[in-house]
Amino acid sequence: MLVLFETPAGFALFKVLDEGKLSKVEDIGKEFTTAESARKIVKLKAFDKFENTTDALTAVSLLIESKSSKGLRKFLRAHCQGETLALSDSKLGNELKEKLKIDCVHNQAIMELMRGVRSQLTELISGLAAQDLAPMSLGLSHSLSRYKLKFSPDKVDTMIIQAIGLLDDLDKELNTYAMRVREWYGWHFPELTKIVQDNIVYAKTVKLMGNRVNAAKLDFSEISLPEEVETELKEAAMISMGTEVSDLDLLNIKELCDQVLSLSDYRAQLYDYLRSRMQTVAPNLTALVGELVGARLIAHGGSLMNLAKQPGSTIQILGAEKALFRALKTKHPTPKYGLIYHASLIGQAAPKIKGKISRSLAAKAALSIRYDALGDGQDNTIGLENRAKLETRLRVLEGRELGKSAGSVKGKPKIEVYDKDRKKGAGGLITPAKTYNPAADAVLGKMVKSEPKEEDAKKDEQPQAMELEDDSALVEVKKVKKEKKKKKKVSNVEDTSVANGQDGNTEAEGQEMSKKEKKKKKKEKQAEKEEKDGEVEEKKEAMNEGDIEDGEKKKKKMKKRKHAESDEEAEPTSQKKEKKRKKKKKMTED
């Protein structure tokens, strides 16, 4: 049995001298306590030395993946024919068995044997000292780590994270220093703050001018100041309301201006460095969102690899975590963008479609980041293609593109006939404007004599017709009420007859009562007809004479009659009969 053992210097092949001791797994470790006892169990048969570090790295990296290199297969063909091979990796044994037709063994006893060989490795292999083995293993482990991580000094994103952080700090410091210069020099020349708006140009102007008295003698073309601004500055310096300052104060102000200018120069240099690093590390992301936004995304994500693991939805709101959790807590709409909002594509979009463009941009940015982090290419073709697609989508969303959208036929606009009454965007029609109606005007002037008579006649006829209709309606209502009253009277009469004990009256008396009732009804009908005729005549007279007051009086009389009738109904039946008899006598006398 042969044992294959891997070392930093090469592959070692040991011959097992006493295979019977491998049956006892617990006692194998005791046999390797000393070098002499170890030599009695195993003996070095062959050793395959690595030629260089690259050879060692390729062989070890393949062994980690349970694969054999060409050198190892050649070495085993030469020394392992007809032998059983003991290995520490069962997957590697299966591969060697298929390719080299070598019987391979892997069990617990083999693992204990490997541990023993490792403990006495320097004694079993002659010429391999411990002081040489340690540096070789350290160098090989470093090389292996770099290989596994695909380490490349050009792909280091730590420099980008530090550079963008320093750039933001420089912007804050520059702003603070520039405002301090304006406030300090403003005591001497306050008008200069409104004349020169740019902070860097302001610092250059203060450094060149010093005291405002010197403004008339100086030429400000050196600092690229426009002629209009220069003339305004000189005029303001002549009539300035600022206080006088000493030369020592001006010297300190100039030194502060030197600091501002040096910081601005260093910031420009740092920006150029950041732009070059972004073009190297993440060219596609840079082409899509720009250097500053891409660098801030990488810094916020921690690294380019961490950012590549994030989905597009996370990249979209990266930097707006506080707003996101506040919205989730208060059940409000979540934010649509974070750091990606400062990209030029989102800045070009209208407010209504910023959310859509930010979502599309985040999806394309996720693809570009993954290609930059995991791809082997160094070009920015994917970023440029994605940017072109997003620009076309932006034009389609804004209605600028009249052709196809994303290669579909649905993008073609419909050509409609112009209609001035149709609303824009809606399918409904606008109601036509109302024209002026001159007939509705009240005109003052001389009228023909015959016209007012006709109009008056029409006006008289209309109210008469209306009143006649009202009278007929009132008459019908009165009829209905009188019939109800008669029915009630009949019922009251029957009740009273029952109460007075008239149940045993003869049929003759009932016939007499019915005759009397019929006569009463006839008389009442005649009286009602007379009343109606009188009312109609009275109303006609009132209409002809125009006496509205008399009509009202008559209405009041009618009401009084109605009240009297109602009172009569409330009276007992005996009194009603007496009154009716009196009325009959009067009627006969008349």
Side-chain angles (χ1 to χ4, degrees), residues 1-2 15 45 76-85 100-103:
M1 181 185 289
L2 299 177
K15 175 72 174 177
K45 182 179 180 181
L76 293 175
R77 283 195 191 98
H79 298 91
C80 291
Q81 291 195 1
E83 296 284 346
T84 304
L85 185 64
L100 303 178
K101 307 299 180 181
I102 298 173
D103 294 333

Side-chain angles (χ1 to χ4, degrees), residues 458-472 543:
K458 290 178 182 178
K459 288 180 181 177
D460 293 338
E461 289 174 3
Q462 289 178 356
Q464 287 178 3
M466 292 292 291
E467 288 182 0
L468 289 171
E469 290 176 358
D470 295 338
D471 294 337
S472 61
M543 290 299 297

Side-chain angles (χ1 to χ4, degrees), residues 88-311:
S88 58
D89 191 355
S90 60
K91 292 181 180 179
L92 179 62
N94 294 330
E95 184 188 0
L96 293 174
K97 189 175 180 180
E98 291 177 1
K99 291 183 178 180
L100 303 178
K101 307 299 180 181
I102 298 173
D103 294 333
C104 299
V105 180
H106 172 76
N107 52 34
Q108 189 65 29
I110 299 301
M111 296 302 295
E112 291 294 330
L113 183 62
M114 291 285 184
R115 291 190 187 96
V117 171
R118 187 178 294 108
S119 63
Q120 300 293 335
L121 185 62
T122 54
E123 298 294 334
L124 294 173
I125 301 173
S126 59
L128 186 62
Q131 59 269 20
D132 298 331
L133 189 62
M136 282 191 288
S137 61
L138 183 62
L140 184 60
S141 63
H142 285 178
S143 300
L144 185 62
S145 299
R146 290 192 190 97
Y147 178 76
K148 286 184 70 177
L149 296 173
K150 294 183 180 178
F151 179 81
S152 174
D154 295 333
K155 285 286 187 180
V156 178
D157 50 9
T158 308
M159 306 302 173
I160 293 173
I161 296 170
Q162 299 298 330
I164 190 64
L166 180 59
L167 195 68
D168 292 338
D169 293 340
L170 280 176
D171 288 336
K172 292 178 183 177
E173 293 297 327
L174 263 174
N175 191 27
T176 305
Y177 283 12
M179 294 306 294
R180 182 63 60 190
V181 169
R182 285 177 179 273
E183 187 178 355
W184 200 350
Y185 193 74
W187 288 96
H188 178 60
F189 193 2
E191 293 82 4
L192 185 62
T193 304
K194 293 183 178 179
I195 295 170
V196 181
Q197 301 291 333
D198 188 66
N199 291 330
I200 306 303
V201 178
Y202 186 92
K204 289 180 181 179
T205 306
V206 172
K207 183 182 178 182
L208 179 63
M209 181 170 56
N211 199 320
R212 68 172 183 266
V213 180
N214 303 327
K217 304 175 185 178
L218 294 173
D219 183 15
F220 292 95
S221 60
E222 299 176 2
I223 57 175
S224 65
L225 200 67
E227 292 182 1
E228 299 83 4
V229 178
E230 184 178 351
T231 55
E232 187 179 358
L233 188 150
K234 290 179 179 179
E235 290 175 358
M238 297 295 291
I239 57 171
S240 178
M241 299 177 65
T243 60
E244 296 294 334
V245 293
S246 62
D247 295 337
L248 183 61
D249 295 333
L250 287 172
L251 182 64
N252 284 285
I253 292 171
K254 287 181 179 180
E255 288 180 357
L256 183 57
C257 291
D258 291 334
Q259 293 291 328
V260 172
L261 295 174
S262 63
L263 281 175
S264 65
D265 294 339
Y266 178 61
R267 188 200 177 280
Q269 180 185 353
L270 184 65
Y271 178 73
D272 293 337
Y273 165 74
L274 178 64
R275 183 168 56 186
S276 65
R277 296 304 301 162
M278 282 296 294
Q279 290 290 346
T280 305
V281 175
N284 293 286
L285 181 63
T286 305
L288 195 60
V289 298
E291 296 87 7
L292 293 176
V293 178
R296 286 194 176 93
L297 286 173
I298 293 171
H300 200 83
S303 66
L304 186 64
M305 188 62 68
N306 289 342
L307 198 64
K309 297 174 184 176
Q310 304 295 335

